Amino acid sequence: MGKPNLIFGMHPLLEALEAGREIDKILLKRGLRSEEVSRISALARERTIPLQIVPEERLTRLTRKQHQGVIAFISEIEYTPLETLIPMLYEAGRSPFVLLLDGLTDVRNFGAIARTAECAGVDALIIPERGSVTVTADAIKTSAGALHRLPVCRVSSIMSAVSLLQASGLKIVAASEKARDVYTETELRLPLGLVLGAEDEGVSEEVLRRADHIVRIPQVGAIGSLNVSVAAGVLIYEIVRQGAAVSNAK
């Protein structure tokens, strides 16, 4: 595991937040109350930085230094606002192709998906601020550096991202082994957002209800589902293939 880069103490964290430094997440001691805590909480909400209330023992396990009840993890990358990325892609003459990771928590799968996405020309990865992987040193290593090249957008929720993308003209396609439609028999044309879920729960029901299409990868074996990074590779390259077929037909 990579060693986390930490900020600890009220004033150092406030200075980092007010300077616009990229913070991955903040851990706050349970029951802590002060003006500084209120300011930290407000800035975290404003910048969609995950803030977790934890027992003091967890903070002490991370550092023996005087943390004053608050520790923050410095982000390995600068996150890209989704609401500015999509217009920029259209202005550059691109039909956006983005991946939405709904509840993915395995850093190795995250890195593998990022690597495939970068190779295939995906425009961005979208992750929620809570209950999700983040861009850690281990994720970057697993991605072979792709996470330094591929924009990552952190949003308040995948549903909010789906709404924004649909309003921006993207079709939302969700992957589920329970879907009726096979991915090769479904039109997967850009602009498009592909939603992938965690292996244990898959894509959330509310996102499935909102999706324009739900597709599955056919399976004949006894195991119930593919590894999510493998499924991502299969679906990403089918989308690329369909796009290339359209271009060649023109």
Side-chain angles (χ1 to χ4, degrees):
M1 294 289 288
K3 185 178 180 179
N5 197 358
L6 306 178
I7 297 174
F8 42 86
M10 294 289 180
H11 293 300
L13 177 54
L14 276 170
E15 288 174 0
L17 287 167
E18 289 169 351
R21 194 164 183 185
E22 284 291 337
I23 305 294
D24 200 48
K25 66 178 176 181
I26 299 169
L27 303 182
L28 189 66
K29 186 178 80 171
R30 184 175 293 127
L32 202 60
R33 300 283 187 275
S34 69
E35 261 186 50
E36 290 89 349
V37 169
S38 297
R39 180 64 179 151
I40 287 169
S41 299
L43 287 168
R45 283 194 301 272
E46 182 181 311
R47 295 182 48 198
T48 66
I49 299 170
L51 189 152
Q52 298 176 16
I53 306 300
V54 300
E56 185 172 9
E57 292 75 20
R58 183 170 175 189
L59 302 175
T60 305
R61 284 198 299 269
L62 288 169
T63 181
R64 294 183 179 276
K65 297 183 180 180
Q66 184 58 254
H67 52 67
Q68 298 179 309
V70 62
I71 291 177
F73 293 75
I74 299 172
S75 177
E76 297 285 339
I77 65 160
E78 183 175 348
Y79 290 101
T80 302
L82 180 61
E83 60 271 17
T84 59
L85 175 70
I86 299 302
M88 286 172 55
L89 291 171
Y90 279 127
E91 288 167 12
R94 293 185 63 85
S95 288
F97 178 16
V98 299
L99 294 187
L100 300 94
L101 305 180
D102 186 12
L104 192 70
T105 56
D106 189 300
V107 69
R108 293 163 298 181
N109 283 333
F110 183 37
I113 289 169
R115 184 173 183 173
T116 300
E118 200 280 331
C119 289
V122 171
D123 292 305
L125 300 177
I126 301 170
I127 58 175
E129 66 178 58
R130 297 184 185 280
S132 171
V133 289
T134 56
V135 183
T136 62
D138 290 326
I140 290 171
K141 182 179 179 181
T142 307
S143 77
L147 285 166
H148 278 314
R149 298 175 176 271
L150 184 65
V152 180
C153 305
R154 186 166 60 186
V155 295
S156 59
S157 70
I158 292 299
M159 269 303 299
S160 68
V162 166
S163 297
L164 188 153
L165 293 172
Q166 288 178 323
S168 301
L170 278 73
K171 180 167 57 180
I172 299 299
V173 177
S176 172
E177 68 272 13
K178 299 174 184 177
R180 179 188 59 199
D181 297 332
V182 174
Y183 76 107
T184 51
E185 299 169 1
T186 304
E187 184 178 293
L188 304 174
R189 305 282 175 82
L190 304 183
L192 182 147
L194 173 63
V195 189
L196 301 162
E199 287 188 41
D200 54 348
E201 296 183 359
V203 178
S204 65
E205 286 297 325
E206 63 174 352
V207 172
L208 290 175
R209 287 194 295 269
R210 185 67 182 267
D212 297 292
H213 295 290
I214 306 172
V215 298
R216 64 181 173 88
I217 300 170
Q219 297 170 66
V220 295
I223 296 175
S225 63
L226 290 170
N227 172 276
V228 65
S229 66
V230 173
V234 171
L235 294 168
I236 287 169
Y237 274 98
E238 174 61 15
I239 293 165
V240 171
R241 185 196 69 79
Q242 290 194 22
V246 170
S247 297
N248 292 337
K250 290 180 180 179

